[in-house]
Amino acid sequence: ENTSEYHIRLRLLSFLVVILTDVNNHFVREEHGFKEFEEMGKNYGIIEYINQNLYSDLSLDAIAQRFYLSKSQLSRSFKKATGSTLWDYVLIKRLLLARSLIRDGESIAGACEKSGFKEYSSFYRAYKKGFGISPNQDRYSPSEIRD
């Protein structure tokens, strides 16, 4: 009998989540207007796409084309939704991926390539500017000063 009560509660909770999500979506549409609600969904899709394709071409042109937006519309919408420019977001995500790869033993050149940087020199400059140390120094820095 305990098991059946558990299953009943679980089913009720699963239905409740769906209902609460619908209610939330309704209020977001009402409060912000349907256009802004739709924009939030698009930005979520763009962020998800970027996170899953860091090694790909993530230029403003490529993303705008993929999501059927003008470059200015994409830039404006992304900045409004995240507080960051699209390029800053891509750069930060790529640097964090590269740092993780390096600390897991990947070669620096390999981390550069796997995180979507096309040129080693731009990767090196961005890494040093972003983390305050070179990729090689980061690999061998004492664990106490790591994030």
Side-chain angles (χ1 to χ4, degrees):
E1 197 167 318
N2 267 348
T3 305
S4 70
E5 281 183 38
Y6 173 77
H7 288 283
I8 290 170
R9 285 186 178 162
L10 192 60
R11 288 187 71 198
L12 285 173
L13 284 174
S14 67
F15 289 127
L16 186 59
V17 167
V18 172
I19 291 168
L20 289 175
T21 301
D22 286 344
V23 169
N24 181 57
N25 289 345
H26 174 74
F27 283 111
V28 167
R29 276 190 220 120
E30 290 296 314
E31 186 176 327
H32 299 289
F34 182 75
K35 187 172 181 149
E36 285 188 31
F37 174 75
E38 189 177 33
E39 233 175 74
M40 288 187 317
K42 240 181 219 173
N43 282 308
Y44 177 77
I46 292 166
I47 289 169
E48 190 173 5
Y49 177 78
I50 290 169
N51 291 343
Q52 293 174 359
N53 295 282
L54 289 171
Y55 52 86
S56 300
D57 176 12
L58 294 175
S59 65
L60 190 59
D61 285 328
I63 295 174
Q65 192 172 41
R66 175 160 181 87
F67 287 90
Y68 306 104
L69 299 166
S70 71
K71 292 188 295 184
S72 61
Q73 185 182 15
L74 172 61
S75 293
R76 192 173 43 256
S77 172
F78 194 86
K79 175 86 173 182
K80 183 177 180 182
T82 66
S84 170
T85 66
L86 187 119
W87 180 245
D88 285 344
Y89 181 80
V90 169
L91 184 61
I92 289 166
K93 293 298 286 189
R94 284 180 170 170
L95 286 172
L96 290 172
L97 174 60
R99 180 179 235 188
S100 175
L101 290 169
I102 289 167
R103 289 181 171 181
D104 286 344
E106 180 72 44
S107 72
I108 294 170
C112 170
E113 183 182 328
K114 288 180 180 179
S115 57
F117 287 90
K118 303 294 180 232
E119 297 176 13
Y120 181 80
S121 60
S122 60
F123 164 71
Y124 183 89
R125 281 191 308 275
Y127 198 99
K128 191 150 180 146
K129 182 178 180 186
F131 298 120
I133 56 176
S134 73
N136 202 41
Q137 289 171 318
D138 199 12
R139 175 193 304 276
Y140 297 111
S141 65
S143 59
E144 303 88 53
I145 60 173
R146 286 188 173 184
D147 296 337

